[in-house]
Amino acid sequence: MQFPGNDRVVAALVLDGDRAPTPAVVWDERCEWRTAASRRYPITQGAVLPSEDEGVRYPAGGIAPPPGDVVGALTLDA
């Protein structure tokens, strides 16, 4: 978990390396859920929002999106 400023919170959940469809999922108060392109550095420096060109996906929004939406985004079925 990091506090990059302006009272924001960014946290990462690193997934199992052998079976995970993405290295990690990240919660960021600015964009809610997203995937991470890197297991080692799931939260980008300065908490800059990465683009989808960098291998990052932004699943359905909301604090608690439907589980199927999250799983679909993680497995590229979204």
Side-chain angles (χ1 to χ4, degrees):
M1 183 179 302
Q2 293 183 8
F3 301 95
N6 297 333
D7 294 327
R8 293 188 318 250
V9 175
V10 181
L13 175 64
V14 177
L15 303 177
D16 181 1
D18 295 334
R19 300 180 300 172
T22 187
V25 289
V26 177
W27 167 258
D28 186 319
E29 287 185 314
R30 295 168 295 169
C31 65
E32 298 166 350
W33 292 101
R34 68 172 175 82
T35 63
S38 168
R39 183 171 283 104
R40 187 169 183 170
Y41 300 107
I43 299 174
T44 53
Q45 186 174 9
V48 173
L49 291 175
S51 73
E52 291 186 349
D53 293 341
E54 297 174 59
V56 172
R57 294 179 302 282
Y58 291 87
I63 292 173
D69 291 352
V70 175
V71 171
L74 293 177
T75 60
L76 296 175
D77 292 338

